[in-house]
Amino acid sequence: MSALIEEKTGLHYGLSEFDLLREKVMPIAEERGCDSLLDYYYLLRYDDEAGREMDALVDGLVVPRPTFSGNSTR
């Protein structure tokens, strides 16, 4: 998965960052109906001719998702 991401986007994720990559990619993969990262890899590699899915993945990787905590100030 990381090699495909680097090939298509130039974003590099090394072995030490696999957990971070999985944490970011798996929710996106599940939204697309994929049960595993391998399923999502095949979708990206072979079923994304227009590149829209890769664009969505890049957005998910580089745009921080909001996190909410119970310690909000009002």
Side-chain angles (χ1 to χ4, degrees):
M1 176 69 70
S2 62
L4 177 64
I5 292 169
E6 186 169 6
E7 173 190 324
K8 299 287 185 178
T9 69
L11 297 172
H12 176 77
Y13 288 88
L15 288 176
S16 63
E17 299 165 306
F18 177 76
D19 289 336
L20 172 66
L21 182 62
R22 183 182 59 215
E23 190 177 291
K24 289 184 170 194
V25 173
M26 201 58 213
I28 299 166
E30 289 171 345
E31 287 175 6
R32 304 309 188 265
C34 298
D35 294 325
S36 68
L37 290 179
L38 183 60
D39 290 341
Y40 191 55
Y41 170 84
Y42 285 130
L43 184 146
L44 290 168
R45 172 62 80 185
Y46 302 111
D47 294 330
D48 188 32
E49 293 176 19
R52 289 186 187 110
E53 191 58 44
M54 184 59 74
D55 290 344
L57 174 60
V58 169
D59 285 346
L61 293 174
V62 299
V63 176
R65 292 183 175 220
T67 57
F68 301 98
S69 68
N71 297 330
S72 63
T73 56
R74 293 185 181 172

